[in-house]
Every structure is written in C-alpha cells, then in structure tokens.
C-alpha cells in the first residue's frame, strides 16, 4: 500500500521545478533570459549560470540561433512520457509516493 506524503523541497530544487513550469508553455519559441529571470524572481546571473548547466542534462535547450531557452527533449521524455497524470498543460506536478512497509 502506498500513501502520498508532502515533503518540503530544498530551495534550489524548488526553483528548478519553477523553471520547468515556466518553460512548459513556451516549447516552440522559448523565453529570453530576462523573461526567465523576471518570471522566477531571480537575478539574471542565476539564469546564465544554471540554464547552460541544465542543458547538459537535456532538460532545457537553447533555441538554435537565439538566446532563448525552452524545455529540452529530456524533459519531455522524462517528465511527461505520454502520461497525462504529470499535468503537461503548463503545470508540472511532483508527487512523491512513500511505500508502506
């Protein structure tokens, strides 16, 4: 049997989840770094440091020929994988299930 448990996410993890939610409505054109910084309430340096690092995972990617960023193929495959329970419509839900022993 399993039950859903609410956990507090560490600040950097929460901010990364917020980034994925923000980008989830902009898969085609992406968002400019300034738009991302404003949408997340972070300094531009956070965007310039973290998006290239996240790009190495495939979860975000820079739109070719621009300075804009969007969700990468890794996010679409890893998060959503055709499962509507993940809430792809602009919202990413994180549900942690704890197994009862």
């Amino acid at each position: 049997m399993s039950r859903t448990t609410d956990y507090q996410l560490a600040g950097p993890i929460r901010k990364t989840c917020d980034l994925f939610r923000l980008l989830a409505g902009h898969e085609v054109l992406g968002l400019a770094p300034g738009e991302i910084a404003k949408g997340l309430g972070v300094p531009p340096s956070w965007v310039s440091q973290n998006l290239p690092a996240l790009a190495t995972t495939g979860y975000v990617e820079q739109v070719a020929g621009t300075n804009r960023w969007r969700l990468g193929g890794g996010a679409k495959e890893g998060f959503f994988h055709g499962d509507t329970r993940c809430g792809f419509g602009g919202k990413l839900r994180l549900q942690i299930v704890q197994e009862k022993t």
Side-chain angles (χ1 to χ4, degrees):
M1 181 196 273
S2 65
R3 63 182 172 90
T4 301
T5 303
D6 291 328
Y7 291 97
Q8 292 294 330
L9 293 175
I13 296 171
R14 180 173 301 284
K15 192 59 67 179
T16 303
C17 290
D18 292 343
L19 169 66
F20 294 147
R21 282 189 202 96
L22 180 66
L23 294 177
H26 304 276
E27 293 87 3
V28 176
L29 298 177
L31 292 173
E35 294 170 315
I36 295 169
K38 184 176 179 181
L40 295 177
V42 298
S45 61
W46 187 95
V47 176
S48 63
Q49 291 172 357
N50 288 290
L51 268 70
L54 284 169
T56 66
T57 68
Y59 287 100
V60 300
E61 64 186 15
Q62 193 166 12
V63 179
T66 74
N67 70 337
R68 301 174 76 81
W69 292 87
R70 63 183 173 200
L71 288 178
K76 294 170 192 164
E77 293 170 14
F79 293 146
F80 311 119
H81 201 60
D83 186 346
T84 57
R85 293 175 295 167
C86 293
F88 181 69
K91 296 179 182 176
L92 177 64
R93 291 184 286 143
L94 177 64
Q95 184 179 53
I96 300 174
V97 177
Q98 181 180 31
E99 293 297 325
K100 226 178 178 179
T101 56

